[in-house]
Amino acid sequence: MKALCMNKMLIVLFFVTLLWSCGSAKVTKPLYTKAPKAEAIIEDLNTESFDFVSMSAKISGKYTGEDQSFSFKGNIKIQKDSIIWLTISPGLGLELGRVLIGEDSVHFINRFDKTYFRSSYDDLTTRIKSPLNYARIQALLIGNVMSDLGLKKYYSTIEDQKFVLRSISPKQLKKIERSRRKPKQEVFSTTVNPEKYKIISQEFTNYGLNQSLKINYQDFESYNKKWLAESVELILETSQSITLSLSYSKINLNKGLKFPFSIPSSYEIIH
């Protein structure tokens, strides 16, 4: 029972992340008939990515699984490319869990069960059957591209007046969708608002394992001339369906932060 509760909290805390608001309805939007080359989209995504030194914010959200649903509040602190610190509370000021995500490992304190869990990214990658590292988690939380776009060739298309970037070609995608035996390869795609080059959604899909992770971004606000999504929806599809809705408030950037994280001696260590 403890392991089950821990796993659900890990899902919430790990997946606890930029959509540009569409502007005035009076402005006539251009009609796009063709997407730019993938290289051009990648260059603009890199230019418009949200940059910061440190970030802190209040968080509120809702977790929904097949057998459980609950709302929560908490805090998040990020030191760019170094540390992500999270607390989760069901309300009344009582802390339920605390997470410290470092460059090489993840640490989780479960106040409810009085347990402590530590794992490497290699171990987590094996568990979720998808590559996981610090950079990917940080990008998810702030709405930057989660995939390293410099590692392979990408393909661009236009869908519903939005630019779509994928790690496979449209021809390969159709072949996979029509095939009865799906390959166990992870396909990455991101949908981009063409007017400001802000990410609307990004998705990792493994057709062979029949699992996917999709993140939708909305409610954008400008910080230091860059746009940050203040609302994020995460949808995880595996043997069960999990949805996490997350909102940021009281966002502060580039201030000195502390990351308190101590493990009581009475807590049980979970492996």
Side-chain angles (χ1 to χ4, degrees):
M1 184 66 183
K2 290 183 178 180
L4 180 60
C5 181
M6 179 195 69
N7 288 336
K8 289 181 177 178
M9 281 305 304
L10 281 173
I11 292 172
V12 174
L13 292 170
F14 292 161
F15 299 118
V16 161
T17 47
L18 271 157
L19 169 88
W20 172 78
S21 61
C22 294
S24 172
K26 296 180 180 179
V27 178
T28 301
K29 298 179 181 179
L31 180 65
Y32 298 94
T33 58
K34 185 178 180 181
K37 291 184 178 180
E39 293 77 10
I41 295 177
I42 291 171
E43 181 178 354
D44 284 327
L45 282 176
N46 290 334
T47 299
E48 297 300 330
S49 65
F50 187 75
D51 195 18
F52 66 105
V53 175
S54 65
M55 169 183 165
S56 64
K58 297 288 185 180
I59 56 175
S60 61
K62 183 176 182 179
Y63 167 88
T64 303
E66 291 189 352
D67 57 355
Q68 189 177 26
S69 177
F70 60 87
S71 299
F72 60 90
K73 296 182 181 298
N75 298 278
I76 183 171
K77 299 178 183 179
I78 304 176
Q79 192 72 35
K80 182 184 175 184
D81 300 335
S82 178
I83 296 174
I84 299 170
W85 179 94
L86 290 157
T87 63
I88 294 294
S89 170
L92 303 177
L94 300 175
E95 183 179 303
L96 180 61
R98 180 171 297 197
V99 123
L100 185 69
I101 302 172
E103 296 178 68
D104 59 1
S105 58
V106 173
H107 308 256
F108 173 63
I109 295 176
N110 187 327
R111 304 288 191 196
F112 182 78
D113 284 338
K114 295 185 177 181
T115 58
Y116 163 71
F117 171 83
R118 178 187 181 279
S119 180
S120 68
Y121 290 115
D122 287 342
D123 182 47
L124 291 173
T125 293
T126 300
R127 292 186 184 208
I128 67 175
K129 298 179 176 61
S130 178
L132 187 66
N133 54 38
Y134 178 92
R136 183 173 283 194
I137 296 173
Q138 178 177 278
L140 183 154
L141 291 170
I142 62 175
N144 288 343
V145 180
M146 294 173 63
S147 183
D148 189 337
L149 300 180
L151 290 180
K152 60 171 66 176
K153 180 176 176 62
Y154 282 81
Y155 302 84
S156 62
T157 59
I158 186 167
E159 299 176 12
D160 298 325
Q161 287 293 289
K162 303 295 187 295
F163 299 154
V164 178
L165 199 65
R166 285 194 180 91
S167 58
I168 60 174
S169 69
K171 184 177 180 179
Q172 289 173 310
L173 179 61
K174 288 182 179 179
K175 184 177 180 180
I176 290 175
E177 291 176 338
R178 292 171 180 173
S179 175
R180 297 181 64 181
R181 297 183 64 182
K182 310 291 186 184
K184 291 182 179 180
Q185 71 178 97
E186 189 171 71
V187 176
F188 173 75
S189 66
T190 183
T191 303
V192 180
N193 186 306
E195 296 177 43
K196 286 291 184 179
Y197 278 89
K198 293 303 170 185
I199 296 174
I200 299 170
S201 67
Q202 47 189 337
E203 183 172 4
F204 293 90
T205 304
N206 190 312
Y207 293 92
L209 296 177
N210 194 28
Q211 67 180 33
S212 67
L213 169 64
K214 184 175 184 179
I215 308 99
N216 300 315
Y217 302 95
Q218 59 183 355
D219 296 335
F220 277 70
E221 293 292 336
S222 178
Y223 294 89
N224 298 334
K225 298 182 180 180
K226 296 288 186 178
W227 295 89
L228 177 69
E230 293 189 344
S231 296
V232 179
E233 180 188 49
L234 182 147
I235 303 170
L236 179 65
E237 298 284 356
T238 55
S239 57
Q240 62 176 319
S241 179
I242 295 172
T243 301
L244 175 69
S245 300
L246 179 69
S247 296
Y248 295 130
S249 63
K250 297 183 179 180
I251 296 172
N252 290 297
L253 296 174
N254 306 330
K255 295 183 178 181
L257 299 176
K258 294 183 179 180
F259 304 88
F261 194 90
S262 59
I263 307 158
S265 59
S266 60
Y267 277 36
E268 178 186 356
I269 299 176
I270 302 296
H271 298 284

